[in-house]
Amino acid sequence: MLKRLYIKHFTLIDELDITFDAGFSVITGETGAGKSIILGAIGLLLGQRADAKSVKNGHERCVIEAHFDLSRYGLEPFFESNDLDYDATDTILRRELNISGKSRAFINDCPVGIAVLRELGDQLMDIHSQHQNLLLKKEDFQLGVVDILTPDKNTLTEYRSLYHEYQSVQRQLDELRQNIDQQRDNEDFLRYQLQELQQAGLSDGEQQELEQKSETMAHAEDIKGGLYQAFQLLDGDDGVVQRLRSIAHELHAIEQVFPAAAELAERIDSTHIELKDIAAEVERHTDDVEFDPQELERINERLDTIYHLEKKHHVEDIGALLVLQTQLEEQLSRIDHGDELLHEMEEKTSALKAQCERVAWRLTTLRMESARQVEHEMCERLVPLGMPHVRFKVSMEEKALSADGKDKVSFLFSANTNTPMQPISQVASGGEISRVMLSLKAMISGAVKLPTIIFDEIDTGVSGKTAEQMARIMHEMGEQERQVISITHLPQIAAMGTHHYKVYKEEGSEGTTSHMVRLTDAERVEEIAQMLSGNNVSAAALENARELMKIKRLEN
């Protein structure tokens, strides 16, 4: 639950530091006092889009920080999966925004992305504002209510996994059909390309070998002359080899009288042998280099074929041509065996669809049971809210398989015995929709263990006894291991709160600022009396306020 909220330099708020408790709390204040600003700050903290205009005039940045107690909500796996520090009794969310529009988010002082902040925020708090009433027009919201109250969550998980696999295989089948059709349109061209490459009889490394032979043969005369001269200098009549032999002979002649000459002679002998071997190899290369015009022509023709294919297919070497050849062989193999591949993929797709159908029917059965529960419980909740003749039905129709099954869900509603049930968004008044949404939230809050629920003027369009009953529902929700906060203009609801906060504006030297304070019992009486009678608080209004507070205490 939310323990503490700190806001600094946000819109009209200079600095706000306020604590919250478990149970049912109410927030009151005149229109325009700043209640929506506080909700906006909380929304920013929960990952909503930031706007640099939210920074209070005259300041560089704003900070919103909230402390939560998560000890009863089993959220440790989220922190583990996101590599975040976990503190069950004091988890801190912080959002900072500067005037340049740059925003930063932190969870327990660890920087996080907005998506991570939003994911955690969705598990910490639900803010019900007026625009959420529009959810009653959305089929996925109505289906979601039914699914939340379905005790067997595994079937829906199983279905979604199967449907995801089915969609994936269906896409593969569509792509295969498209590829085979395209390839069949180009089959003659593909076969011509493959035949051309196969007839070329390419081998890896061939190009480099041919290019070297061509280069060698083109310069055969120069190469042969150079090798001949090298051989003569090495092993000619006055070459290096002959001279080394003479040097070695002279050193051996004096080794008996000059021992150091022996080692020198051995080194010369070794060098003589190595150079003799080099000379022999140079001579062999000299004999090997021959100029053959016909062979050179054959090599150049072969290279022309290779270069032509490389240019045609926009590649750099034979290796790429061989890869292309393999790809063409595979494409033509798919064409030749296309019907077989299609048949296999179609069978796989059909089998997965059949599995989806079977699980979808199981899901439908579960939803029908849940729908009856929703109908019964909603009527029980709405009758005390001033709808004695209410009828509420969950209509389920079959639709094509989709990501959420094959059920189309619609909430049908009638507040009177003489009017037929119709989709709730078409026939319910504003006050009726408020009561329906409160009942839905109260019903599903037990299944979804949200630590904190905030109702922003959910009492719109109601008054009197109905308002009192709505307050009781919120109070009961606050006693069921969750925190409920209601922003209200109704004294009946304000009196029912265990804790009462007031938002107000002040005009000062630096302009208008919004504030929020926690009221004492005496201040609550004054505030509720003002809500009852306006600015001129009468003694009767004060007495009425005390009576409302007294009734609240007796009921609690």
Side-chain angles (χ1 to χ4, degrees):
M1 70 170 193
L2 178 64
K3 299 195 304 179
R4 177 188 168 206
L5 178 65
Y6 177 79
I7 304 172
K8 186 171 184 178
H9 300 156
F10 180 76
T11 311
L12 296 180
I13 296 174
D14 187 39
E15 188 170 28
L16 173 67
D17 191 353
I18 198 155
T19 59
F20 292 87
D21 293 309
F24 179 41
S25 298
V26 294
I27 299 175
T28 60
E30 295 180 356
T31 301
K35 298 185 296 296
S36 61
I37 294 173
I38 292 170
L39 277 184
I42 294 174
L44 190 68
L45 192 67
L46 299 181
Q48 292 180 8
R49 186 175 178 180
D51 185 347
K53 295 178 182 178
S54 298
V55 180
K56 194 173 190 294
N57 287 337
H59 297 278
E60 295 294 319
R61 67 169 187 156
C62 68
V63 177
I64 301 101
E65 181 176 292
H67 295 243
F68 291 87
D69 183 342
L70 309 182
S71 54
R72 294 181 297 180
Y73 300 100
L75 292 175
E76 188 170 4
F78 171 86
F79 289 82
E80 290 177 354
S81 63
N82 288 281
D83 195 24
L84 295 169
D85 294 335
Y86 178 67
D87 188 334
T89 59
D90 191 27
T91 287
I92 304 171
L93 274 63
R94 186 169 78 254
R95 189 91 180 267
E96 299 176 358
L97 173 66
N98 61 37
I99 55 174
S100 67
K102 185 178 179 181
S103 168
R104 297 195 302 167
F106 302 85
I107 297 175
N108 289 335
D109 290 326
C110 297
V112 296
I114 296 301
V116 175
L117 187 72
R118 188 180 300 120
E119 184 181 352
L120 179 58
D122 288 343
Q123 299 178 71
L124 295 181
M125 190 176 290
D126 174 39
I127 301 178
H128 179 91
S129 56
Q130 286 297 304
H131 78 271
Q132 270 205 335
N133 290 338
L134 299 175
L135 291 173
L136 285 176
K137 295 183 178 180
K138 296 183 179 293
E139 179 191 335
D140 58 346
F141 171 75
Q142 298 177 54
L143 179 61
V145 170
V146 173
D147 283 340
I148 285 171
L149 295 175
T150 301
D152 180 3
K153 302 296 189 295
N154 293 332
T155 300
L156 180 57
T157 302
E158 179 186 358
Y159 174 80
R160 284 174 173 165
S161 176
L162 271 174
Y163 185 78
H164 176 75
E165 186 180 358
Y166 163 64
Q167 287 289 91
S168 177
V169 173
Q170 182 66 58
R171 284 193 295 270
Q172 293 175 33
L173 175 60
D174 294 340
E175 290 172 2
L176 180 61
R177 284 190 181 124
Q178 184 179 3
N179 289 339
I180 289 176
D181 289 343
Q182 290 176 346
Q183 290 169 358
R184 280 177 175 163
D185 291 341
N186 297 326
E187 182 177 358
D188 291 341
F189 179 61
L190 294 174
R191 291 196 184 280
Y192 168 76
Q193 286 185 311
L194 177 60
Q195 184 179 15
E196 187 178 37
L197 289 170
Q198 289 174 333
Q199 287 177 347
L202 303 171
S203 61
D204 202 14
E206 178 185 9
Q207 181 177 343
Q208 292 86 344
E209 183 180 350
L210 290 173
E211 287 173 341
Q212 184 58 58
K213 285 183 177 180
S214 175
E215 187 74 11
T216 299
M217 200 168 288
H219 298 85
E221 186 174 344
D222 293 336
I223 294 169
K224 199 173 184 71
L227 290 171
Y228 176 79
Q229 288 298 326
F231 175 75
Q232 292 300 317
L233 290 170
L234 281 167
D235 204 13
D237 291 340
D238 193 29
V240 174
V241 173
Q242 294 299 326
R243 292 187 178 209
L244 284 175
R245 184 183 295 125
S246 299
I247 294 169
H249 177 73
E250 294 297 332
L251 290 171
H252 281 302
I254 62 172
E255 64 185 5
Q256 293 297 327
V257 294
F258 186 65
E263 182 183 351
L264 295 171
E266 287 178 6
R267 292 169 65 186
I268 294 295
D269 288 337
S270 176
T271 304
H272 172 265
I273 293 170
E274 176 66 16
L275 288 175
K276 186 71 175 175
D277 184 63
I278 292 172
E281 190 168 345
V282 169
E283 187 176 31
R284 284 195 300 274
H285 283 308
T286 304
D287 295 336
D288 290 341
V289 176
E290 296 290 344
F291 177 71
D292 185 341
Q294 292 182 340
E295 177 65 10
L296 180 59
E297 183 178 359
R298 185 194 70 78
I299 290 172
N300 287 336
E301 286 178 356
R302 179 64 173 167
L303 285 171
D304 286 343
T305 299
I306 294 170
Y307 294 151
H308 167 73
L309 290 172
E310 290 173 349
K311 183 177 180 181
K312 178 178 180 178
H313 296 289
H314 308 287
V315 296
E316 299 292 331
D317 53 41
I318 282 181
L321 289 174
L322 291 172
V323 170
L324 175 62
Q325 181 176 326
T326 301
Q327 292 172 345
L328 289 169
E329 290 169 347
E330 291 172 352
Q331 289 180 41
L332 289 167
S333 176
R334 283 196 293 271
I335 292 174
D336 294 338
H337 300 89
D339 291 338
E340 297 174 22
L341 290 171
L342 277 175
H343 181 67
E344 290 177 6
M345 189 65 75
E346 285 168 348
E347 283 194 334
K348 185 176 181 180
T349 305
S350 297
L352 280 170
K353 185 178 181 182
Q355 283 184 274
C356 286
E357 293 278 4
R358 288 192 294 272
V359 179
W361 279 118
R362 280 167 41 206
L363 191 56
T364 297
T365 302
L366 292 168
R367 284 170 170 168
M368 291 176 68
E369 295 174 3
S370 177
R372 302 293 80 80
Q373 177 188 345
V374 171
E375 292 170 351
H376 175 74
E377 192 166 339
M378 283 298 291
C379 287
E380 281 194 337
R381 290 179 178 277
L382 289 170
V383 168
L385 289 174
M387 299 184 190
H389 305 297
V390 68
R391 285 174 291 157
F392 191 96
K393 181 176 177 59
V394 180
S395 170
M396 288 181 60
E397 300 176 6
E398 185 178 347
K399 66 178 183 181
L401 282 178
S402 66
D404 53 22
K406 57 187 305 178
D407 304 308
K408 181 179 180 181
V409 169
S410 177
F411 289 168
L412 304 182
F413 172 84
S414 173
N416 306 298
T417 55
N418 59 346
T419 56
M421 285 190 291
Q422 296 183 52
I424 191 168
S425 60
Q426 298 177 16
V427 296
S429 66
E432 289 168 344
I433 283 182
S434 293
R435 284 173 274 178
V436 168
M437 286 301 294
L438 176 61
S439 298
L440 284 172
K441 294 276 184 174
M443 182 174 60
I444 65 179
S445 64
V448 180
K449 292 187 177 181
L450 276 169
T452 301
I453 301 175
I454 298 178
F455 292 107
D456 181 18
E457 299 185 6
I458 197 169
D459 49 31
T460 299
V462 299
S463 59
K465 293 292 184 182
T466 300
E468 291 179 14
Q469 186 58 35
M470 291 180 73
R472 289 190 183 95
I473 291 173
M474 288 186 277
H475 193 280
E476 289 171 5
M477 291 172 65
E479 292 180 333
Q480 297 170 2
E481 293 190 354
R482 72 181 51 79
Q483 179 185 50
V484 177
I485 301 171
S486 176
I487 297 173
T488 182
H489 287 293
L490 297 181
Q492 295 91 338
I493 292 179
M496 190 65 71
T498 306
H499 318 286
H500 191 155
Y501 301 85
K502 180 178 179 178
V503 178
Y504 63 95
K505 286 194 302 188
E506 279 187 342
E507 298 293 336
S509 59
E510 296 183 0
T512 304
T513 57
S514 288
H515 304 271
M516 180 176 177
V517 293
R518 186 168 182 163
L519 301 181
T520 64
D521 283 350
E523 290 169 334
R524 290 188 68 180
V525 170
E526 185 77 20
E527 174 69 6
I528 293 170
Q530 187 172 332
M531 295 172 73
L532 286 165
S533 64
N535 289 331
N536 296 321
V537 178
S538 64
L542 288 169
E543 184 59 31
N544 196 359
R546 292 188 188 97
E547 188 65 24
L548 284 175
M549 293 284 293
K550 182 179 178 181
I551 293 172
K552 185 268 293 184
R553 286 194 179 93
L554 289 173
E555 291 180 344
N556 292 344

